[in-house]
């Protein structure tokens, strides 16, 4: 039987066992109770309370504005819905870079106040001290390399990262460092598929890709994007499993029509 089917609760060790056995890991984002409940009951392995909440829930252009308290609000809503999945929460921009003590305090606050199982940080060698300090408190850390949206003003665009040899080499080194520091898994975002496959093969910890090809140990997508709730965001790597934007628009316009025409509520729909 597969590890995925056997386990009642997904832990960081379960993910590592899945990698060892060559079983792909499925991860999606969630930011609220209702969505998290459906995703968890569908059998997902990992739920990421991503700082993409800043975009899809709050309407900001970047992930930078979301605050620690807002991340905790989203994470605790998700945690209340979960029976099985491992829940990983993004440390928000400005809460861990350059100050490992603050990083530790942020991670502890997230774990204590939301009940999450692990945290995710963006970056490589430059955040070594923060990762190591968080790990000393027994908090599992997921890394994130490649396109790291919290550094958007450094990159200038959301285009594919590490296409040039020098950046690719640095990414490989950083991935190995994250493993050596003690991260239980890493996310690779929007990098060439061949590079992501090489990293996945060279690392013993799971590598979860987004826009990084099929050679990774698992995949992650932003739920609102894969459900087709967002129309304007349409990168090549995104597979839409539904067109909820149009389905919801149809439902809302029908409801408006029914209210205005007095069709809703009918006799059976009242007391
Ligand atoms: O915030 C997020 O949703 C993420 C994923 C894109 C990996 O970091």
């Amino acid at each position: 039987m597969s590890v995925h089917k056997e386990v009642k609760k997904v832990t960081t060790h379960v993910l590592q066992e899945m990698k060892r056995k060559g079983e792909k890991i499925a991860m999606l984002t969630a930011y609220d109770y209702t969505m998290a409940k459906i995703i968890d009951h569908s059998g997902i392995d990992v739920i990421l309370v991503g700082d993409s909440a800043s975009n899809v829930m709050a309407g900001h252009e970047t992930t930078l504005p979301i605050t620690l308290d807002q991340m905790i609000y989203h994470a605790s809503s998700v945690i209340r819905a979960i029976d099985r999945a491992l829940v990983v929460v993004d440390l928000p921009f400005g809460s861990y870079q350059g100050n490992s003590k603050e990083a530790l305090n942020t991670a502890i606050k997230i774990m204590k106040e939301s009940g999450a199982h692990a945290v995710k940080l963006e970056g490589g060698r430059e955040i070594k001290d923060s990762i190591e300090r968080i790990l000393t408190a027994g908090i599992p850390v997921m890394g994130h390399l490649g396109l790291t949206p919290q550094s958007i003003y450094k990159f200038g665009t959301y285009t594919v990262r590490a296409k040039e040899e020098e950046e690719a080499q640095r990414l490989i080194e950083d991935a190995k460092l994250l493993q050596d520091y003690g991260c239980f898994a890493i996310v690779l975002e929007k990098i060439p598929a061949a590079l992501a496959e090489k990293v996945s093969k060279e690392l013993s910890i799971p590598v979860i890709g987004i826009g990084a090809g099929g050679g990774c140990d698992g995949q992650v997508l932003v739920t609102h994007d894969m459900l087709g709730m967002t129309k304007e965001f349409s990168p090549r790597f995104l597979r839409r499993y539904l067109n909820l934007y149009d389905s919801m628009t149809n439902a809302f316009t029908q409801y408006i029509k029914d209210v205005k025409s007095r069709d809703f509520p009918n006799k059976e729909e009242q007391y």
Side-chain angles (χ1 to χ4, degrees):
M1 196 164 4
S2 71
V3 179
H4 166 87
K5 293 232 167 74
E6 258 169 52
V7 297
K8 290 210 160 52
K9 283 230 178 266
V10 180
T11 63
T12 57
H13 300 282
V14 167
L15 299 181
Q16 284 167 352
E17 180 69 0
M18 287 173 78
K19 162 134 186 169
R20 221 179 43 74
K21 294 202 165 158
E23 275 179 45
K24 297 282 186 185
I25 296 163
M27 169 162 145
L28 283 171
T29 62
Y31 321 102
D32 69 273
Y33 175 86
T34 306
M35 188 76 89
K37 202 165 188 73
I38 300 170
I39 296 173
D40 187 55
H41 286 183
S42 306
I44 203 79
D45 300 309
V46 186
I47 289 186
L48 172 67
V49 183
D51 58 359
S52 49
S54 180
N55 309 113
V56 293
M57 300 303 285
H60 293 296
E61 214 170 285
T62 73
T63 56
L64 276 62
I66 199 158
T67 65
L68 179 56
D69 284 341
Q70 287 165 343
M71 287 304 295
I72 290 170
Y73 168 78
H74 288 299
S76 53
S77 307
V78 166
I79 282 289
R80 283 191 286 275
I82 296 303
D83 285 328
R84 180 181 176 279
L86 181 87
V87 178
V88 182
V89 180
D90 267 336
L91 260 59
F93 173 70
S95 70
Y96 62 94
Q97 295 97 337
N99 183 340
S100 64
K101 191 165 187 295
E102 192 182 351
L104 176 62
N105 290 341
T106 306
I108 289 176
K109 192 169 157 73
I110 287 178
M111 301 294 281
K112 254 187 192 295
E113 294 182 20
S114 76
H117 311 132
V119 296
K120 176 163 82 60
L121 281 69
E122 293 183 7
R125 62 199 77 179
E126 68 280 8
I127 55 160
K128 172 182 192 280
D129 293 347
S130 295
I131 293 173
E132 286 184 337
R133 199 143 180 187
I134 293 169
L135 285 165
T136 60
I139 300 171
V141 175
M142 178 180 270
H144 184 155
L145 296 171
L147 176 63
T148 46
Q150 291 182 8
S151 308
I152 183 58
Y153 291 116
K154 184 176 99 185
F155 296 142
T157 68
Y158 287 103
T159 52
V160 180
R161 307 303 311 168
K163 285 208 289 202
E164 305 305 328
E165 182 54 32
E166 200 181 319
E167 197 185 342
Q169 202 45 49
R170 188 180 164 92
L171 185 140
I172 294 169
E173 284 168 18
D174 273 343
K176 288 182 180 159
L177 286 172
L178 290 180
Q179 173 171 278
D180 293 346
Y181 301 155
C183 288
F184 72 91
I186 63 170
V187 166
L188 291 182
E189 181 165 354
K190 224 170 171 188
I191 62 166
L195 174 61
E197 183 167 5
K198 181 174 159 67
V199 173
S200 307
K201 282 198 175 127
E202 289 187 12
L203 261 51
S204 58
I205 57 171
V207 173
I208 317 285
I210 173 164
C216 298
D217 304 305
Q219 299 293 326
V220 55
L221 284 175
V222 170
T223 296
H224 291 63
D225 297 334
M226 65 84 83
L227 291 177
M229 294 173 88
T230 49
K231 256 192 168 359
E232 60 287 351
F233 183 67
S234 208
R236 171 168 159 179
F237 69 77
L238 175 62
R239 184 179 294 182
R240 288 202 173 92
Y241 288 82
L242 281 175
N243 180 356
L244 268 195
Y245 190 99
D246 288 347
S247 304
M248 289 171 81
T249 304
N250 289 341
F252 296 144
T253 50
Q254 186 61 47
Y255 168 74
I256 294 164
K257 211 168 123 220
D258 290 351
V259 170
K260 302 221 178 261
S261 68
R262 297 176 167 74
D263 180 78
F264 177 79
N266 64 25
K267 286 238 162 56
E268 282 74 45
E269 291 163 330
Q270 59 194 8
Y271 301 98

